Amino acid sequence: MNVIIEHIFCQYSDEATALYLRIINVILMSSNEAELRASMEKLKHTSKLDEYFIYGFGKHHIWVCLRKPSDSNKIFEHRVLMAQF
């Protein structure tokens, strides 16, 4: 899978930056959609992924958006990355 960085990543915390890199690694190391979904679910349960990011799956891709540091219920306007599978 190829990661497409769509917008600049706002490095507002070391933890968010580390998770951003882990997300990229999870995507790159996944060989298919099922593996990617399972790996993202595992990452969600073993980290604070939901505090910093929101993600979802389309028919043939995954997208990731960064949550705003001032209010985690809000997200930045643009996706930070996506990957097609």
Coordinates of all heavy atoms in Angstrom, one line a residue:
M1 N 0.8 -1.2 0.0 CA 0.0 0.0 0.0 C 0.9 1.2 0.0 O 2.0 1.2 0.6 CB -0.9 0.0 1.2 CG -2.1 -0.9 1.1 SD -3.2 -0.8 2.5 CE -3.5 -2.5 2.6
N2 N 0.4 2.3 -0.6 CA 1.1 3.5 -0.7 C 0.4 4.6 0.2 O -0.8 4.7 0.1 CB 1.1 4.1 -2.1 CG 2.0 3.2 -3.0 OD1 3.0 2.7 -2.5 ND2 1.6 3.0 -4.2
V3 N 1.1 5.2 1.0 CA 0.6 6.3 1.8 C 0.7 7.6 1.0 O 1.7 7.9 0.5 CB 1.4 6.5 3.2 CG1 0.9 7.7 3.9 CG2 1.2 5.2 4.0
I4 N -0.4 8.3 1.0 CA -0.4 9.6 0.3 C -0.6 10.7 1.4 O -1.7 10.7 2.0 CB -1.6 9.7 -0.8 CG1 -1.4 8.6 -1.8 CG2 -1.6 11.1 -1.4 CD1 -2.6 8.3 -2.6
I5 N 0.4 11.5 1.5 CA 0.3 12.6 2.5 C -0.4 13.8 1.8 O 0.1 14.3 0.8 CB 1.7 13.0 3.0 CG1 2.3 11.9 3.8 CG2 1.5 14.3 3.9 CD1 3.7 12.0 4.2
E6 N -1.6 14.1 2.3 CA -2.5 15.1 1.6 C -2.3 16.5 2.2 O -2.7 17.5 1.5 CB -3.9 14.6 1.7 CG -4.2 13.4 0.9 CD -5.7 13.1 0.8 OE1 -6.4 13.3 1.8 OE2 -6.1 12.7 -0.3
H7 N -1.9 16.6 3.4 CA -1.9 17.9 4.0 C -0.8 17.9 5.1 O -0.5 16.8 5.7 CB -3.2 18.3 4.6 CG -3.4 19.7 4.9 ND1 -3.1 20.3 6.0 CD2 -3.8 20.7 4.0 CE1 -3.4 21.6 6.0 NE2 -3.8 21.9 4.7
I8 N -0.3 19.0 5.5 CA 0.7 19.2 6.5 C 0.2 18.6 7.8 O -0.9 18.8 8.2 CB 1.2 20.6 6.6 CG1 2.5 20.7 7.5 CG2 0.1 21.5 7.2 CD1 3.2 22.0 7.3
F9 N 1.1 18.0 8.6 CA 0.8 17.4 9.9 C 1.2 18.5 10.9 O 2.3 18.9 10.9 CB 1.6 16.1 10.1 CG 1.5 15.6 11.5 CD1 0.3 15.1 12.0 CD2 2.6 15.7 12.3 CE1 0.2 14.6 13.3 CE2 2.5 15.2 13.6 CZ 1.3 14.7 14.1
C10 N 0.3 18.9 11.8 CA 0.6 19.8 12.9 C 1.2 19.1 14.1 O 0.5 18.3 14.7 CB -0.7 20.5 13.2 SG -0.5 21.7 14.6
Q11 N 2.4 19.3 14.3 CA 3.1 18.6 15.4 C 2.9 19.3 16.7 O 3.8 19.9 17.3 CB 4.6 18.5 15.1 CG 4.9 17.8 13.9 CD 6.4 17.7 13.6 OE1 7.2 18.5 14.1 NE2 6.8 16.8 12.7
Y12 N 1.7 19.1 17.3 CA 1.4 19.8 18.5 C 1.8 19.0 19.8 O 1.7 19.5 20.9 CB -0.1 20.3 18.6 CG -1.1 19.2 18.5 CD1 -1.5 18.5 19.6 CD2 -1.8 19.0 17.3 CE1 -2.5 17.5 19.6 CE2 -2.8 18.0 17.2 CZ -3.1 17.3 18.4 OH -4.1 16.4 18.3
S13 N 2.2 17.8 19.6 CA 2.7 17.0 20.8 C 3.5 15.9 20.3 O 3.4 15.4 19.2 CB 1.5 16.5 21.6 OG 1.0 15.3 21.1
D14 N 4.5 15.4 21.1 CA 5.3 14.3 20.8 C 4.5 13.0 20.6 O 4.8 12.2 19.7 CB 6.4 14.1 21.8 CG 7.4 15.3 21.9 OD1 7.5 16.0 20.9 OD2 8.1 15.4 22.9
E15 N 3.5 12.9 21.4 CA 2.7 11.7 21.4 C 1.9 11.6 20.0 O 1.8 10.6 19.4 CB 1.7 11.6 22.5 CG 1.1 10.3 22.7 CD 0.3 10.1 24.0 OE1 -0.1 11.2 24.6 OE2 0.2 9.0 24.5
A16 N 1.4 12.7 19.6 CA 0.7 12.8 18.3 C 1.6 12.5 17.2 O 1.3 11.8 16.2 CB 0.0 14.1 18.1
T17 N 2.8 13.0 17.2 CA 3.8 12.8 16.2 C 4.2 11.3 16.1 O 4.3 10.7 15.0 CB 5.1 13.7 16.4 OG1 4.7 15.0 16.5 CG2 6.1 13.5 15.3
A18 N 4.4 10.7 17.3 CA 4.8 9.3 17.3 C 3.6 8.4 16.7 O 3.9 7.5 16.0 CB 5.1 8.9 18.7
L19 N 2.4 8.8 17.1 CA 1.3 8.0 16.5 C 1.1 8.2 15.0 O 0.8 7.3 14.3 CB 0.0 8.4 17.2 CG -0.3 7.8 18.6 CD1 -1.4 8.4 19.3 CD2 -0.6 6.3 18.3
Y20 N 1.4 9.4 14.6 CA 1.3 9.7 13.1 C 2.3 8.7 12.4 O 1.9 8.1 11.4 CB 1.7 11.1 12.9 CG 1.7 11.6 11.4 CD1 0.5 11.7 10.7 CD2 2.9 11.9 10.8 CE1 0.5 12.1 9.4 CE2 2.9 12.4 9.5 CZ 1.7 12.5 8.8 OH 1.7 12.9 7.5
L21 N 3.5 8.6 12.9 CA 4.5 7.7 12.3 C 4.1 6.2 12.4 O 4.3 5.4 11.5 CB 5.9 7.9 12.9 CG 6.4 9.3 12.6 CD1 7.7 9.5 13.3 CD2 6.6 9.5 11.1
R22 N 3.5 5.9 13.5 CA 3.0 4.5 13.7 C 1.9 4.2 12.7 O 1.8 3.1 12.2 CB 2.5 4.3 15.1 CG 3.7 4.2 16.1 CD 3.2 3.9 17.5 NE 2.6 2.6 17.7 CZ 2.0 2.2 18.8 NH1 1.9 3.0 19.8 NH2 1.4 1.0 18.8
I23 N 1.0 5.1 12.5 CA -0.1 4.9 11.5 C 0.5 4.7 10.1 O 0.1 3.8 9.4 CB -1.1 6.2 11.5 CG1 -1.9 6.3 12.8 CG2 -2.0 6.1 10.3 CD1 -2.6 7.6 13.0
I24 N 1.5 5.5 9.7 CA 2.1 5.3 8.4 C 2.7 3.9 8.4 O 2.6 3.2 7.4 CB 3.1 6.4 8.2 CG1 2.4 7.8 8.0 CG2 4.0 6.1 7.0 CD1 3.3 9.0 7.9
N25 N 3.4 3.5 9.4 CA 4.0 2.2 9.4 C 3.0 1.1 9.3 O 3.2 0.1 8.6 CB 4.9 2.0 10.6 CG 6.2 2.7 10.5 OD1 6.7 3.0 9.5 ND2 6.8 3.0 11.7
V26 N 1.9 1.2 10.0 CA 0.8 0.2 10.0 C 0.3 0.1 8.6 O 0.1 -1.0 8.1 CB -0.3 0.6 11.0 CG1 -1.6 -0.2 10.7 CG2 0.1 0.3 12.4
I27 N 0.1 1.2 7.9 CA -0.4 1.2 6.5 C 0.6 0.5 5.6 O 0.2 -0.4 4.8 CB -0.8 2.6 6.1 CG1 -2.0 3.1 6.8 CG2 -1.1 2.6 4.6 CD1 -2.2 4.6 6.6
L28 N 1.8 0.9 5.7 CA 2.9 0.4 4.8 C 3.1 -1.1 5.0 O 3.5 -1.8 4.1 CB 4.2 1.2 5.0 CG 4.1 2.6 4.5 CD1 5.4 3.3 4.8 CD2 3.9 2.6 3.0
M29 N 2.9 -1.6 6.3 CA 3.2 -3.0 6.6 C 2.0 -3.9 6.3 O 2.2 -5.1 6.3 CB 3.7 -3.1 8.0 CG 5.1 -2.4 8.2 SD 5.7 -2.3 9.9 CE 5.4 -3.8 10.6
S30 N 0.9 -3.3 6.0 CA -0.3 -4.1 5.7 C -0.3 -4.6 4.3 O 0.0 -3.8 3.4 CB -1.6 -3.3 6.1 OG -1.6 -3.0 7.4
S31 N -0.7 -5.8 4.1 CA -0.7 -6.3 2.7 C -2.0 -6.3 2.0 O -2.1 -6.5 0.8 CB -0.1 -7.7 2.7 OG -0.8 -8.6 3.5
N32 N -3.1 -6.1 2.8 CA -4.4 -6.1 2.3 C -5.4 -5.3 3.2 O -5.0 -5.0 4.3 CB -5.0 -7.5 2.0 CG -5.0 -8.4 3.2 OD1 -5.4 -8.0 4.3 ND2 -4.4 -9.6 3.0
E33 N -6.6 -5.1 2.8 CA -7.6 -4.4 3.5 C -7.9 -5.0 4.9 O -7.9 -4.3 5.9 CB -8.9 -4.2 2.8 CG -9.9 -3.5 3.5 CD -11.3 -3.4 2.8 OE1 -11.4 -4.0 1.7 OE2 -12.2 -2.8 3.4
A34 N -8.0 -6.3 4.9 CA -8.4 -7.0 6.2 C -7.3 -6.8 7.2 O -7.5 -6.6 8.4 CB -8.6 -8.5 5.9
E35 N -6.0 -7.0 6.8 CA -4.9 -6.8 7.7 C -4.8 -5.4 8.2 O -4.5 -5.1 9.3 CB -3.6 -7.2 6.9 CG -2.4 -7.3 7.8 CD -1.2 -7.8 7.0 OE1 -1.3 -8.7 6.2 OE2 -0.1 -7.3 7.3
L36 N -5.1 -4.4 7.3 CA -5.0 -3.0 7.7 C -6.1 -2.7 8.7 O -5.8 -2.1 9.7 CB -5.2 -2.1 6.4 CG -5.3 -0.6 6.7 CD1 -4.0 -0.1 7.4 CD2 -5.5 0.1 5.3
R37 N -7.3 -3.2 8.5 CA -8.4 -3.0 9.4 C -8.0 -3.6 10.8 O -8.2 -2.9 11.8 CB -9.7 -3.6 8.9 CG -10.3 -2.8 7.8 CD -11.6 -3.4 7.4 NE -12.2 -2.7 6.3 CZ -13.1 -1.7 6.4 NH1 -13.5 -1.3 7.6 NH2 -13.6 -1.1 5.4
A38 N -7.5 -4.8 10.8 CA -7.1 -5.4 12.1 C -6.0 -4.7 12.8 O -6.0 -4.5 14.0 CB -6.7 -6.9 11.8
S39 N -5.0 -4.2 12.0 CA -3.9 -3.5 12.6 C -4.3 -2.1 13.1 O -3.8 -1.7 14.2 CB -2.8 -3.3 11.5 OG -2.3 -4.6 11.1
M40 N -5.2 -1.5 12.5 CA -5.7 -0.2 13.0 C -6.5 -0.4 14.2 O -6.4 0.4 15.2 CB -6.5 0.6 11.9 CG -5.7 1.1 10.8 SD -4.4 2.3 11.2 CE -5.4 3.7 11.7
E41 N -7.3 -1.4 14.3 CA -8.1 -1.7 15.5 C -7.1 -2.0 16.7 O -7.4 -1.5 17.8 CB -9.0 -2.9 15.2 CG -10.0 -3.1 16.3 CD -11.0 -1.9 16.4 OE1 -11.3 -1.2 15.4 OE2 -11.6 -1.7 17.5
K42 N -6.1 -2.8 16.4 CA -5.1 -3.1 17.4 C -4.4 -1.8 17.9 O -4.2 -1.6 19.1 CB -4.1 -4.1 16.9 CG -3.1 -4.5 18.0 CD -2.1 -5.5 17.4 CE -1.0 -5.8 18.5 NZ -0.1 -6.8 18.0
L43 N -4.0 -0.9 17.0 CA -3.4 0.3 17.3 C -4.3 1.2 18.2 O -3.9 1.8 19.1 CB -2.9 1.1 16.1 CG -2.2 2.4 16.3 CD1 -0.9 2.2 17.1 CD2 -1.9 3.0 14.9
K44 N -5.6 1.2 17.8 CA -6.6 1.9 18.5 C -6.7 1.5 20.0 O -6.8 2.3 20.9 CB -8.0 1.8 17.9 CG -9.1 2.5 18.4 CD -10.3 2.3 17.6 CE -11.5 2.9 18.2 NZ -12.7 2.7 17.4
H45 N -6.6 0.2 20.2 CA -6.7 -0.3 21.6 C -5.4 -0.3 22.4 O -5.4 -0.5 23.6 CB -7.3 -1.8 21.5 CG -8.7 -1.8 21.1 ND1 -9.7 -1.2 21.8 CD2 -9.2 -2.3 20.0 CE1 -10.8 -1.4 21.1 NE2 -10.6 -2.1 20.0
T46 N -4.3 -0.1 21.7 CA -3.0 -0.1 22.4 C -2.3 1.2 22.5 O -1.2 1.4 23.0 CB -2.0 -1.1 21.8 OG1 -1.8 -0.7 20.4 CG2 -2.5 -2.5 21.8
S47 N -3.0 2.3 22.1 CA -2.5 3.6 22.1 C -3.6 4.6 22.4 O -4.8 4.2 22.5 CB -1.8 3.9 20.8 OG -2.8 4.1 19.8
K48 N -3.3 5.9 22.3 CA -4.3 6.9 22.5 C -4.7 7.5 21.1 O -4.9 8.7 20.9 CB -3.7 8.1 23.4 CG -3.5 7.6 24.8 CD -2.9 8.8 25.6 CE -2.7 8.4 27.0 NZ -2.2 9.5 27.9
L49 N -4.8 6.6 20.2 CA -5.1 7.0 18.8 C -6.3 7.9 18.7 O -6.3 8.9 18.0 CB -5.3 5.7 17.9 CG -5.6 5.9 16.5 CD1 -4.4 6.6 15.7 CD2 -6.0 4.6 15.8
D50 N -7.4 7.6 19.4 CA -8.6 8.3 19.3 C -8.5 9.7 19.9 O -9.4 10.6 19.6 CB -9.8 7.6 20.0 CG -10.3 6.4 19.2 OD1 -10.0 6.4 17.9 OD2 -10.9 5.5 19.7
E51 N -7.5 10.0 20.7 CA -7.4 11.3 21.3 C -6.8 12.3 20.3 O -7.0 13.5 20.3 CB -6.4 11.3 22.5 CG -7.0 10.7 23.7 CD -6.1 10.8 24.9 OE1 -5.3 11.7 25.0 OE2 -6.2 9.9 25.8
Y52 N -6.0 11.8 19.3 CA -5.3 12.6 18.4 C -5.8 12.5 16.9 O -5.6 13.4 16.2 CB -3.8 12.3 18.4 CG -3.2 12.5 19.7 CD1 -2.8 11.5 20.6 CD2 -2.9 13.8 20.2 CE1 -2.3 11.7 21.8 CE2 -2.3 14.0 21.4 CZ -2.0 13.0 22.2 OH -1.4 13.2 23.5
F53 N -6.4 11.4 16.6 CA -6.8 11.2 15.2 C -8.2 10.6 15.1 O -8.7 10.0 16.0 CB -5.8 10.2 14.5 CG -4.4 10.7 14.4 CD1 -3.5 10.4 15.4 CD2 -4.0 11.5 13.4 CE1 -2.2 10.8 15.4 CE2 -2.7 11.9 13.3 CZ -1.8 11.6 14.3
I54 N -8.8 10.8 13.9 CA -10.0 10.1 13.5 C -9.7 9.5 12.2 O -9.0 10.1 11.3 CB -11.2 11.0 13.5 CG1 -12.5 10.3 13.2 CG2 -11.0 12.2 12.5 CD1 -13.7 11.1 13.4
Y55 N -10.1 8.3 11.9 CA -9.9 7.6 10.6 C -11.1 6.9 10.2 O -12.0 6.6 11.0 CB -8.7 6.7 10.7 CG -8.9 5.5 11.6 CD1 -9.3 4.3 11.0 CD2 -8.7 5.5 13.0 CE1 -9.5 3.2 11.8 CE2 -8.9 4.4 13.7 CZ -9.3 3.2 13.1 OH -9.5 2.1 13.9
G56 N -11.1 6.5 8.9 CA -12.3 5.8 8.4 C -11.8 5.1 7.1 O -10.8 5.3 6.6
F57 N -12.7 4.2 6.7 CA -12.4 3.4 5.5 C -13.5 3.8 4.4 O -14.7 3.8 4.7 CB -12.5 1.9 5.8 CG -11.3 1.5 6.6 CD1 -11.4 1.5 8.0 CD2 -10.2 1.0 6.0 CE1 -10.3 1.0 8.7 CE2 -9.1 0.6 6.7 CZ -9.2 0.6 8.1
G58 N -13.0 4.0 3.2 CA -13.9 4.1 2.0 C -13.9 2.7 1.3 O -13.4 1.7 1.9
K59 N -14.5 2.7 0.2 CA -14.6 1.4 -0.5 C -13.2 0.8 -0.9 O -13.0 -0.4 -0.8 CB -15.4 1.6 -1.8 CG -15.8 0.3 -2.5 CD -16.8 0.5 -3.6 CE -17.2 -0.8 -4.1 NZ -18.4 -0.7 -5.0
H60 N -12.2 1.7 -1.2 CA -10.9 1.3 -1.6 C -9.8 2.1 -0.9 O -8.7 2.1 -1.5 CB -10.7 1.3 -3.1 CG -11.7 0.5 -3.9 ND1 -11.6 -0.9 -3.9 CD2 -12.8 0.8 -4.6 CE1 -12.6 -1.4 -4.6 NE2 -13.4 -0.3 -5.0
H61 N -10.1 2.7 0.2 CA -9.0 3.5 0.8 C -9.3 3.7 2.3 O -10.4 3.4 2.8 CB -8.9 4.9 0.2 CG -10.1 5.7 0.4 ND1 -11.3 5.6 -0.3 CD2 -10.3 6.7 1.3 CE1 -12.2 6.5 0.1 NE2 -11.6 7.2 1.1
I62 N -8.3 4.1 3.0 CA -8.4 4.6 4.4 C -8.0 6.1 4.4 O -7.1 6.5 3.7 CB -7.4 3.8 5.4 CG1 -7.6 4.3 6.8 CG2 -6.0 3.8 4.9 CD1 -6.8 3.4 7.8
W63 N -8.7 6.8 5.2 CA -8.3 8.2 5.4 C -8.1 8.5 6.9 O -8.6 7.8 7.7 CB -9.4 9.2 4.9 CG -10.8 8.9 5.5 CD1 -11.8 8.1 5.0 CD2 -11.3 9.4 6.7 NE1 -12.8 8.1 5.8 CE2 -12.6 8.9 6.9 CE3 -10.8 10.3 7.7 CZ2 -13.4 9.2 8.0 CZ3 -11.6 10.6 8.8 CH2 -12.8 10.0 8.9
V64 N -7.2 9.5 7.1 CA -6.9 9.9 8.5 C -6.9 11.4 8.6 O -6.3 12.1 7.8 CB -5.5 9.4 8.9 CG1 -5.1 9.7 10.3 CG2 -5.4 7.8 8.7
C65 N -7.6 11.9 9.7 CA -7.6 13.3 10.0 C -7.1 13.5 11.4 O -7.2 12.6 12.3 CB -9.1 13.8 10.0 SG -9.7 13.9 8.3
L66 N -6.5 14.7 11.6 CA -6.0 15.0 12.9 C -7.0 15.8 13.7 O -7.7 16.7 13.2 CB -4.7 15.9 12.7 CG -3.9 16.3 13.9 CD1 -3.3 15.1 14.6 CD2 -2.8 17.3 13.4
R67 N -7.2 15.4 15.0 CA -8.1 16.2 15.9 C -7.4 17.5 16.3 O -6.2 17.5 16.4 CB -8.4 15.3 17.1 CG -9.2 14.1 16.8 CD -9.7 13.4 18.1 NE -10.3 12.2 17.8 CZ -11.6 12.1 17.6 NH1 -12.4 13.1 17.6 NH2 -12.2 10.9 17.4
K68 N -8.2 18.5 16.6 CA -7.7 19.8 17.1 C -7.2 19.6 18.5 O -8.0 19.1 19.3 CB -8.7 20.9 16.9 CG -9.0 21.2 15.5 CD -9.8 22.5 15.3 CE -9.9 22.8 13.8 NZ -10.5 24.1 13.7
P69 N -6.1 20.2 18.9 CA -5.6 20.1 20.3 C -6.5 20.9 21.3 O -6.6 20.5 22.4 CB -4.2 20.7 20.3 CG -4.1 21.5 19.0 CD -5.1 20.9 18.1
S70 N -7.2 21.9 20.8 CA -8.0 22.7 21.7 C -9.3 22.0 22.0 O -9.9 22.3 23.1 CB -8.3 24.1 21.0 OG -8.9 23.9 19.8
D71 N -9.8 21.2 21.1 CA -11.1 20.5 21.3 C -11.1 19.2 20.5 O -11.2 19.2 19.3 CB -12.3 21.4 20.9 CG -13.6 20.7 21.1 OD1 -13.7 19.6 21.6 OD2 -14.6 21.4 20.9
S72 N -10.9 18.1 21.2 CA -10.8 16.8 20.5 C -12.0 16.4 19.8 O -12.0 15.4 19.1 CB -10.3 15.7 21.5 OG -11.3 15.5 22.5
N73 N -13.1 17.1 20.0 CA -14.3 16.8 19.2 C -14.3 17.4 17.9 O -15.2 17.1 17.0 CB -15.6 17.2 20.0 CG -15.8 16.4 21.3 OD1 -15.6 15.2 21.3 ND2 -16.2 17.1 22.3
K74 N -13.4 18.3 17.6 CA -13.2 18.9 16.3 C -12.0 18.4 15.6 O -11.0 18.0 16.2 CB -13.1 20.5 16.5 CG -14.4 21.1 17.1 CD -14.2 22.6 17.2 CE -15.4 23.2 17.8 NZ -15.3 24.6 18.0
I75 N -12.1 18.4 14.3 CA -10.9 17.9 13.5 C -10.5 19.0 12.6 O -11.2 20.0 12.3 CB -11.2 16.7 12.7 CG1 -12.4 16.9 11.7 CG2 -11.5 15.5 13.6 CD1 -12.6 15.8 10.8
F76 N -9.2 19.0 12.1 CA -8.7 19.9 11.1 C -9.5 19.7 9.8 O -10.0 18.6 9.5 CB -7.2 19.7 10.9 CG -6.4 20.3 12.0 CD1 -5.9 19.5 13.1 CD2 -6.1 21.6 12.1 CE1 -5.2 20.0 14.1 CE2 -5.3 22.1 13.1 CZ -4.8 21.3 14.1
E77 N -9.6 20.7 9.0 CA -10.4 20.8 7.8 C -10.0 19.7 6.8 O -10.8 19.1 6.1 CB -10.3 22.1 7.2 CG -11.2 22.3 6.0 CD -11.1 23.7 5.4 OE1 -10.5 24.6 6.0 OE2 -11.6 23.9 4.3
H78 N -8.7 19.5 6.7 CA -8.2 18.6 5.6 C -7.6 17.2 6.2 O -7.1 17.2 7.3 CB -7.0 19.2 4.9 CG -7.4 20.5 4.2 ND1 -8.2 20.6 3.1 CD2 -7.1 21.8 4.6 CE1 -8.4 21.9 2.8 NE2 -7.8 22.6 3.7
R79 N -7.8 16.2 5.4 CA -7.2 14.9 5.8 C -5.6 15.1 5.8 O -5.1 15.8 5.0 CB -7.5 13.8 4.8 CG -9.0 13.6 4.7 CD -9.3 12.4 3.8 NE -8.8 12.5 2.4 CZ -9.3 11.9 1.4 NH1 -10.3 11.1 1.5 NH2 -8.8 12.1 0.2
V80 N -5.0 14.4 6.8 CA -3.5 14.4 6.7 C -2.9 13.4 5.8 O -1.9 13.6 5.2 CB -2.9 14.3 8.1 CG1 -3.1 15.6 8.9 CG2 -3.4 13.1 8.9
L81 N -3.6 12.2 5.7 CA -3.1 11.2 4.8 C -4.2 10.2 4.4 O -5.3 10.2 5.0 CB -1.9 10.4 5.4 CG -2.1 9.7 6.7 CD1 -2.6 8.3 6.5 CD2 -0.8 9.6 7.4
M82 N -3.9 9.5 3.4 CA -4.8 8.4 2.9 C -4.0 7.4 2.2 O -2.8 7.6 1.9 CB -5.9 9.0 2.0 CG -5.4 9.6 0.7 SD -5.9 8.9 -0.9 CE -7.3 7.9 -0.7
A83 N -4.6 6.2 2.1 CA -3.9 5.1 1.4 C -5.0 4.3 0.6 O -6.0 4.0 1.2 CB -3.1 4.2 2.3
Q84 N -4.7 3.9 -0.6 CA -5.6 3.1 -1.4 C -5.2 1.6 -1.2 O -4.0 1.3 -1.1 CB -5.6 3.5 -2.8 CG -6.1 4.9 -3.0 CD -6.0 5.4 -4.4 OE1 -5.1 5.0 -5.2 NE2 -6.9 6.2 -4.8
F85 N -6.2 0.8 -1.2 CA -5.9 -0.7 -1.2 C -6.7 -1.4 -2.3 O -7.5 -0.8 -3.0 CB -6.2 -1.3 0.2 CG -7.4 -0.9 0.8 CD1 -8.6 -1.4 0.5 CD2 -7.4 0.1 1.8 CE1 -9.8 -1.1 1.1 CE2 -8.6 0.4 2.5 CZ -9.8 -0.1 2.1

